[in-house]
Amino acid sequence: MKTQFTECTVLPDFDSDKAGRKWLSYFDLLAWSKFCENAGLRTVFRVYQAVLRELDNRAKGWPKIARAWASDTFVFYASDDSGDAFQTIEHMSRWFEALMLKEEIPLRGALACEDFYADEAPRVFFGRALVEAHKYAEGQDWVGFILTPSAERHARDLGLLPSAFYRPWPVRFKGAEEAETLQAFILDSIPLSPAGGDVNRALTQMARRVTDSRVKLKYTRAIEFLSSSRGGNA
């Protein structure tokens, strides 16, 4: 049987209108690989479909925020680095974190603000914003959402920090001996349902199902952070 190959798409020329400093959120779903190994393709597809459908429905309210995804990675990005763009993408990111936890899907995320090039048609995405957000999102060793150093600096320059939704916290990273103090999102500042379900309850339920002590520690750190986040912000 003759093998047929699809011709590669020729990339368009560099478009300076698609480049610039932008806010970008990067999310990584925890334990997704294990879920895919243990579940059938149809089950994985249904979960993925439900998440994308809800995301599409809610994203209509945020027309200025674009999004892209592949497997266990979701990326949201704004068209610029303005204060309005920060407030919109930050709100969308907090909502996405809450949505995932409501479905008891653990994830970690980070918001950066650096140079980024995005051409949606050929799906070309690259730049320092993506590199930094990826580094901080996948490196943190807990369930949470943080502002990277670039995002915190620019948010402070715009007068958008301190915020009632964040507080400085020593975040642990995989393979690092010392924690790095970053602005961490107070997860339970968003209610998950009118019935009264909250993030702490979702985290506790997910932690109970984990037998690996190293994985359980990711939930424990997040729960400890929530327990100590009843005070002020800085």
Side-chain angles (χ1 to χ4, degrees), residues 112-183:
C113 186
E114 274 286 3
D115 290 339
F116 183 60
Y117 186 91
D119 192 341
E120 296 178 27
R123 297 187 65 80
V124 176
F125 307 103
F126 62 89
R128 287 195 293 267
L130 182 57
V131 172
E132 184 179 74
H134 168 271
K135 171 187 173 182
Y136 278 87
E138 298 210 357
Q140 57 191 303
D141 201 15
W142 70 343
V143 177
F145 179 73
I146 58 177
L147 303 184
T148 70
S150 68
E152 180 178 352
R153 284 194 301 270
H154 193 44
R156 287 193 183 279
D157 289 343
L158 294 172
L160 299 173
L161 287 177
S163 164
F165 295 111
Y166 296 85
R167 66 168 298 191
W169 188 256
V171 179
R172 303 295 309 192
F173 284 82
K174 293 179 289 185
E177 294 184 2
E178 297 184 0
E180 181 174 356
T181 300
L182 298 163
Q183 291 289 327

Side-chain angles (χ1 to χ4, degrees), residues 150-232:
S150 68
E152 180 178 352
R153 284 194 301 270
H154 193 44
R156 287 193 183 279
D157 289 343
L158 294 172
L160 299 173
L161 287 177
S163 164
F165 295 111
Y166 296 85
R167 66 168 298 191
W169 188 256
V171 179
R172 303 295 309 192
F173 284 82
K174 293 179 289 185
E177 294 184 2
E178 297 184 0
E180 181 174 356
T181 300
L182 298 163
Q183 291 289 327
F185 168 48
I186 304 172
L187 297 170
D188 63 353
S189 59
I190 293 182
L192 291 185
S193 71
D198 56 24
V199 173
N200 189 73
R201 184 182 307 169
L203 288 169
T204 301
Q205 290 175 346
M206 287 185 283
R208 287 172 180 166
R209 295 195 292 267
V210 174
T211 56
D212 188 323
S213 60
R214 293 171 299 178
V215 176
K216 189 179 290 290
L217 186 57
K218 299 178 189 293
Y219 296 99
T220 301
R221 287 171 174 157
I223 293 170
E224 289 176 349
F225 168 63
L226 293 183
S227 299
S228 65
S229 297
R230 303 298 184 265

Side-chain angles (χ1 to χ4, degrees), residues 1-76:
M1 182 176 68
K2 185 178 180 180
T3 302
Q4 294 183 340
F5 295 94
T6 302
E7 183 178 352
C8 293
T9 302
V10 178
L11 290 180
D13 294 335
F14 182 88
D15 186 347
S16 58
D17 290 338
K18 301 181 186 300
R21 189 164 74 158
K22 307 176 184 183
W23 299 102
L24 181 147
S25 284
Y26 181 106
F27 288 93
D28 171 55
L29 306 187
L30 292 169
W32 185 254
S33 297
K34 195 168 189 178
F35 174 65
C36 291
E37 290 175 358
N38 296 330
L41 289 177
R42 187 178 297 275
T43 300
V44 174
F45 178 83
R46 285 174 178 168
V47 172
Y48 211 69
Q49 183 183 50
V51 171
L52 293 178
R53 183 182 293 119
E54 184 68 19
L55 180 58
D56 282 342
N57 290 338
R58 293 295 297 266
K60 294 175 183 176
W62 298 300
K64 295 183 179 180
I65 304 299
R67 57 200 187 281
W69 56 85
S71 186
D72 61 349
T73 299
F74 291 79
V75 175
F76 308 142

Side-chain angles (χ1 to χ4, degrees), residues 81-100:
D81 64 347
S82 65
D84 287 343
F86 170 79
Q87 292 177 318
T88 303
I89 194 171
E90 186 271 334
H91 182 193
M92 184 175 182
S93 299
R94 285 190 283 109
W95 169 84
F96 185 66
E97 184 92 20
L99 169 67
M100 294 293 97

